[in-house]
Amino acid sequence: MTDRYAVIGNPVAHSRSPSIHAHFARQTGQDLEYGRLLAPLDGFVVAVEHFRDAGGCGLNVTLPFKSEAHAWAARRSARAQVAGAVNTLRFDRDGAWGDNTDGAGLVRDLEDRLGVALAGRSVLILGAGGATRGVIGPLIEAGVARLTIANRTAPRAIALVDEFAGMAAGRLRGCGFDDAGDGHDLLVNATSAGLVGDRLPIADALFAGAVLAYDMFYAARETAFVAQAREGGCARACDGLGMLVEQAAESFFAWRGVRPLTAPVYEALRTELAAGVA
Ligand code: NAP
């Protein structure tokens, strides 16, 4: 019987995950189907349990349910436990297992596809929401020397950093945009400002000194943050499509025990996105 997976969220119609997993399944010869599951904002658990009880094997979890998925999972990977958020659920005989593959996806895209080694770097993350929560642990583990979390609402960044203080003494700092400091090698936009095309109120000098500006948001055309980085004199800037493909590959591995090749899928997705393929 064909194994069933899906991405659950609200909204979810825009998700590229079904296309990515269809590419992975074809490439690796895995017999699976992968759909979209729109859950009511107050109906996450009911929707997950219905999918599981109908024979579903696993889910990707997207906005706004990652914290709820973390709370609901019976068991969690160490990185999901650290992140306090789950983006991958696998339904085993022992119950639901939750993982968070966002951080691994970002690190792999930066180091493997873009060739930016993270050890010893100073990294500035803009934003302190769920995506940032998922990537702090993996960036620390990748050996960054300094990790600054700057957020529009400074107390949120400070509170988030406090949660992670135990694993990164002296390397982690939370602040507002005005207090982001300078000399950062890598700038990562983890705000949702790009969804409405907003630019961030940060100094151009931050871009001019960085080796890479990375926007977790992605789009068919240049994102607002990538345009801002380019105009600010950044050496290199790109969007988060590569992270999306890499975090999906990590989920695929957790479900199927097979690691797909990501480079051809990234190229196919970029083409599909540009052509407006749903
Ligand atoms: P979230 O939990 O809702 O957090 C949103 C963050 O954006 C908060 O820090 C918020 O600041 C900030 N923000 C919102 N509007 C802003 C604006 N106009 N100016 C400045 N800051 C603003 O969202 P999330 O789950 O962390 O997702 C963040 C982004 O990452 C989204 O664009 C998402 O698509 C992307 N993402 C991409 C991948 C990938 O694989 N490529 C994976 C995960 C997430 P306040 O605290 O001040 O409200």
Side-chain angles (χ1 to χ4, degrees):
M1 199 173 80
T2 300
D3 290 339
R4 288 176 54 232
Y5 298 86
V7 54
I8 184 168
N10 186 334
V12 79
H14 65 285
S15 174
R16 313 300 305 180
S17 294
S19 172
I20 295 173
H21 285 282
H23 281 290
F24 288 164
R26 270 196 300 277
Q27 183 201 105
T28 59
Q30 294 282 308
D31 183 15
L32 63 88
E33 58 182 42
Y34 187 111
R36 292 184 180 89
L37 192 56
L38 176 68
L41 290 175
D42 61 353
F44 171 74
V45 169
V46 170
V48 170
E49 292 181 350
H50 184 264
F51 181 81
R52 179 201 58 191
D53 295 346
C57 299
L59 288 166
N60 278 132
V61 181
T62 187
L63 279 172
F65 298 127
K66 290 182 186 181
S67 298
E68 239 180 300
H70 178 267
W72 179 79
R75 296 169 299 119
R76 303 172 199 97
S77 66
R79 60 192 179 184
Q81 192 62 35
V82 168
V86 156
N87 76 340
T88 305
L89 287 168
R90 189 180 69 208
F91 306 129
D92 295 336
R93 267 194 226 107
D94 309 331
W97 175 82
D99 193 10
N100 189 313
T101 66
D102 281 338
L106 175 65
V107 168
R108 198 159 289 142
D109 196 39
L110 289 170
E111 295 204 314
D112 296 355
R113 188 176 68 86
L114 297 165
V116 177
L118 289 165
R121 301 281 194 179
S122 174
V123 178
L124 170 63
I125 302 185
L126 302 152
T132 298
R133 178 177 279 285
V135 303
I136 292 175
L139 286 172
I140 294 290
E141 276 169 19
V144 301
R146 208 156 54 106
L147 185 55
T148 306
I149 314 294
N151 196 43
R152 176 175 65 178
T153 313
R156 193 174 177 196
I158 293 162
L160 184 61
V161 159
D162 281 349
E163 281 186 47
F164 287 83
M167 74 178 292
R171 285 196 278 166
L172 199 51
R173 187 170 74 87
C175 58
F177 286 150
D178 289 345
D179 194 24
D182 51 23
H184 303 292
D185 303 306
L186 177 63
L187 270 53
V188 178
N189 177 29
T191 74
S192 46
L195 286 166
V196 287
D198 280 355
R199 292 192 170 207
L200 296 180
I202 59 171
D204 278 353
L206 281 172
F207 290 115
V211 296
L212 176 70
Y214 189 97
D215 193 354
M216 282 196 192
F217 183 63
Y218 60 88
R221 280 180 281 171
E222 186 178 65
T223 66
F225 183 74
V226 169
Q228 188 176 358
R230 182 174 45 73
E231 290 163 23
C234 197
R236 198 175 173 199
C238 71
D239 73 11
L241 190 66
M243 173 179 172
L244 183 78
V245 173
E246 294 296 345
Q247 63 78 28
E250 197 74 11
S251 297
F252 193 87
F253 180 70
W255 292 326
R256 312 298 299 182
V258 179
R259 200 172 279 287
L261 293 175
T262 50
V265 177
Y266 172 83
E267 294 304 333
L269 258 280
R270 185 60 81 191
T271 305
E272 288 174 14
L273 205 54
V277 176

